Structure formats: structure tokens, C-alpha cells
Amino acid sequence: MEVFFRNLHYRIFMLANIVSAIGSALFSIVFVIYARHMPHPSLAISVASVAGSLPLLLDILMGYLADQTTNHFRQQLRNRIVQGSFYVLISLLMIGQANWGGFALILVLSMSVQLISSYNTYGAIAIIKDIVAPGDIAEAEGFESGINATISITGGLIGAALLAAFHYHYSLFALVNSVSFFLAFALLFHVRQHFATLSSSHINIPQTVGLVAHFQRFFQQSKANFVQLKHESTLTQYIEVFMAINLVDAGQGVLLNLSFAHQPQLLIGNYGYTVALVGMVESIGGILGSLLPGRLTRHLSISKGIILIYLTYGLMPLNILFLKSRVFLIGIVVISGVLLGILNPQVQGKMINDLPKQSIGSLISAFYTVVQLTVPLGALIFATLANVLSLKFSWIYLLLFDVISFLTWLAQRRHQRPTA
């Protein structure tokens, strides 16, 4: 957080990003509420919920497009205008009675705003690399992660409360929401001279003409990015270990929800409250870890953080199988959230410092695309094991996977150290 107060340029840029993020978060829950008024509300709510996660699948494309930008700051300005204008159109479509035609257009516009937000995130990396000292990158990324997580947690609740205050005038709410993007544009436009001389505002990109040529270049660039990631020995190690960590985390989440349903002694109140509380506690832990000052977190290296995360995840199956302690369970969730909140910005900060600026957005988006593949896989594997075998054996297999992947990572580190 200290870098936010020390660095004027970073502070201005982050304020604009925070204002935009608030606009996106407020509307996410409101759109689902709006879906209740459709002729078939259950179908509309399901479509809205699924569509909200689809833009994540195009992260790698957004990273590629961000790297094709010759002036990142100018593109950030344009994108705020486009996003604000889309919400003005959404406001107009929400006037009158809900219908499927208007709902489909609103859905497309809402997904477009999310895609542009992803584009902004990857485009902002080059700007942050210009305005933040290398030693402060990890802290800056941690601050951004913490703020975004906070907005994500509270945005839905605040959005629902504001909608009630507006007496469920969805059109008015969408119009007010557009103001957040126009405010972000005004803030960035006011300080545009400070960013005009940055190297990220003067990038030479080979011009590609024609849609087919663009697609060919995208696939060629994506292939080159994965090849480059493969040759980055440190990043390759991070890819493998984070894929394993994400698989364990996803499996643990599924098995916890099943355990709460079958082991009443783990419940804190009722089932729904317990599930919500565990999710909230984990998010709060991540926020606390992300917002810790850099002078504290830099003493915890990435390797030490990975070791502590593996050990913490290993304690959860032991607790569920033997202790069955609610207090210990919450403590494990908090600690793992804090550790991930510290570790994620450190890894991203290292990538920002080490990777070439001309392809940094594509490479980082490729990295996250790969490491997130095991999230649905882990949920599917351990949910299947719990239903086919038993919940007890599923926890045992989760513990075994945690131990084996941890030992494998230690062996890889020992092998790489003398080579380096």
C-alpha cells in the first residue's frame, strides 16, 4: 500500500482503475436480479450466471490484443469512453418491459464491458512497468489485487443495496453506473501529459491487414508465447506448481462443501451460512495478504510461500479426517488465503520485471490460462471420487496428491539449483 501513497503517477492511474472496477462490480449482481423479470426467470438467471464467466475464457485473446497496442495510455482513455457508452445503451434497453431480444443485447453489451476490462488489465501492465520501480512492482500488484478482491466481495452487496434505494429502476442504475467509467476517463484525461512520454505510449508494432491475417498472427503469437514460457525455466516451474496448487484448492473447496453436508459438527450455524462464511474468510485472508506492506512480504520468498501453502493445505484433510475442529478449519482457510494473497503478487511482479515489455500482456495471460485449467479439473476429479468411492477416501487422495506434488516440486528445485 505504501507505493500507492509514494508514487503520484501510480496513485492517479490506480484511482482511475478503482473507479472503473467499482462500476463493473456494482452491475454484476444487478444484471442477475434483472433476469428475474424475464418470461422464464430460471432460464434467464442461469444464462446470466454462465455468461458472466465466459469472458474469462478469452483472457489470452485480450492479452494478445493489449500487446498489439502502440499507445497503451491512449487506449485506456478510449476504452473508458466505450465502456461508459455501452452502459448508456444498456440503460436505454432496460426502459420498458423486459423481453428476450433486449435481454440478449444487454447480455452481449455486458460481456463486452467485461472483455474490455480484461483488455485494460493486461494493457495496464506495460504502464505500471514504466511508472513503478522494479523493487516496488510486487507491492503494487499486491495492492491492486487486494483492492480488486475487496471490490469484488463488496460490490455485489452495495449494488443490490443501491438498486433497492433506486426502487429497482434498472435503467437509472445502469445510467449511474456509466458515470463511473466517464469519471475514470476524466481523471486519466486530466493527467494525460504525465503519461505521454512513457515508453508504453510509443511502441512500434508491425501492422497486420485483414481479419484472416490477424487470426493467423494471433495463433502464431500464442504458440510463440507458450514456447517462450516453456523455455523460461523459472516460469515453467511456477506453472507446474500453481497448476497443482489450484487443483488441490479446487478439490478442497468441493470436498469441504460435501463435508459440511455430512458432518454437522463442522457447521457454524446452518449449511448455507457455513459455506458463505468460509468463502468470505478465505477472500478476506487473500485481501490481507495482498495489502501487507512490501517491506514485510519481501522477506517471505516465493519458494518459502509455496512450501507454507503446501503445508497448510495438507493440514485440512488431517483436520477433517481426525480433529473435525471448526476453529482449526477457519484458521487453515485464513492462513491459506493470506499466503496466496502474498504469493500471487510476488509471482506476477517477477514476471513483469523479467518478461519483455512488447509481449508481456500475452505472456502473462498465457500463464494464467494454463494454471487455471486445473481449477475445473480438480473440482470434477474430487467430486467424482466422493460420489463413486466415499468422502473419506477423497480426502485421503487429496492429501496424497498434496504430498506427492510437494515432494515432486522439491525434487525439481534441488535438480535446478546446481544446474543454475
Side-chain angles (χ1 to χ4, degrees), residues 66-67 69-77 123 126-127 200-201 203:
D67 283 339
T69 303
T70 57
N71 189 323
H72 285 284
F73 186 78
R74 185 170 59 197
Q75 192 62 44
Q76 297 278 325
L77 284 171
I127 299 175
S200 56
S201 297
I203 298 178

Side-chain angles (χ1 to χ4, degrees), residues 63 107 133 161 181 185 209 231 265 277 393:
L107 186 63
F181 294 97
F185 167 80
V209 181
H231 289 299
Q265 63 269 39
L277 178 64
F393 278 110

